[in-house]
C-alpha cells in the first residue's frame, strides 16, 4: 500500500476516534456508538504482508523472515501515525485557537491525496 494511502487511512481512524470522543463528551451514557476496532484491523490486514515460511525453517530463520517482512509495514504505519501526531502537536504547541484537530487532519489527508495522485513517494508534510 502506498504511504499516501496509509496516511489517509490513519487520518480516517483518528477522525473517527475524535468524533467518538466528542459524542461521548456530549453524552457519556451513549450506547449507539460503533467502537468496533474493525477499521484498525482492516488497515493492519491490508498493510501487513503475507509471509511464506519454508517448512524446514529454523526458529531463527522464521524470526529473521518475519522481522524483515513485517518491519517495513510497521514502519509505514508508525510513520503515518507519527506524522499525524507531529502535525497536531505543532498546531497545539503554537497556541493557535483558530484551527481544530479536524482541520489539521483534513489538511493532512488533502496533502496525502495530492501526493498520491501525483504518483510521488514523498511523505506528506515534508
Amino acid at each position: 500500500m502506498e504511504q499516501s494511502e496509509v496516511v489517509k487511512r490513519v487520518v480516517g481512524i483518528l477522525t473517527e476516534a475524535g468524533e467518538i470522543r466528542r459524542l461521548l463528551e456530549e453524552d457519556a451514557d451513549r450506547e449507539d456508538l460503533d467502537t468496533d476496532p474493525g477499521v484498525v484491523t482492516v488497515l493492519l490486514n491490508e498493510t501487513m504482508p503475507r509471509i511464506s515460511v519454508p517448512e524446514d525453517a529454523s526458529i531463527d530463520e522464521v524470526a529473521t523472515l518475519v522481522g524483515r517482512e513485517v518491519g517495513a509495514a510497521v514502519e509505514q504505519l508508525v510513520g503515518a501515525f507519527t506524522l499525524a501526531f507531529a502535525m497536531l502537536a505543532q498546531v497545539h504547541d503554537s497556541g493557535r485557537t483558530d484551527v481544530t484537530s479536524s482541520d489539521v487532519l483534513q489538511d493532512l489527508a488533502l496533502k496525502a491525496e495530492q501526493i498520491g495522485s501525483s504518483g510521488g513517494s514523498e511523505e506528506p508534510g515534508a
Side-chain angles (χ1 to χ4, degrees):
M1 182 180 295
E2 293 290 324
Q3 185 67 20
S4 60
E5 181 62 28
V6 173
V7 169
K8 289 187 290 185
R9 300 285 291 280
V10 164
V11 166
I13 289 168
L14 294 174
T15 300
E16 184 178 322
E19 180 64 13
I20 290 170
R21 180 199 49 81
R22 186 188 66 75
L23 292 171
L24 285 172
E25 284 177 354
E26 290 175 3
D27 180 7
D29 297 326
R30 290 184 77 118
E31 294 181 14
D32 64 331
L33 296 177
D34 180 16
T35 57
D36 176 32
V39 292
V40 174
T41 301
V42 169
L43 179 59
L44 287 172
N45 286 336
E46 290 178 356
T47 54
M48 291 297 149
R50 304 293 179 246
I51 302 171
S52 297
V53 178
E55 287 183 33
D56 62 343
S58 70
I59 292 174
D60 287 342
E61 291 169 331
V62 171
T64 299
L65 177 65
V66 170
R68 182 178 62 237
E69 296 296 320
V70 173
V74 170
E75 189 175 309
Q76 191 177 39
L77 288 168
V78 170
F81 276 103
T82 301
L83 177 61
F85 173 83
M87 289 184 73
L88 289 164
Q90 181 181 23
V91 170
H92 174 272
D93 291 349
S94 71
R96 291 187 61 187
T97 58
D98 61 322
V99 179
T100 66
S101 59
S102 294
D103 294 335
V104 174
L105 291 172
Q106 183 177 22
D107 182 54
L108 178 56
L110 290 171
K111 287 178 181 177
E113 181 67 32
Q114 290 169 350
I115 290 169
S117 65
S118 70
S121 59
E122 182 181 332
E123 211 175 275

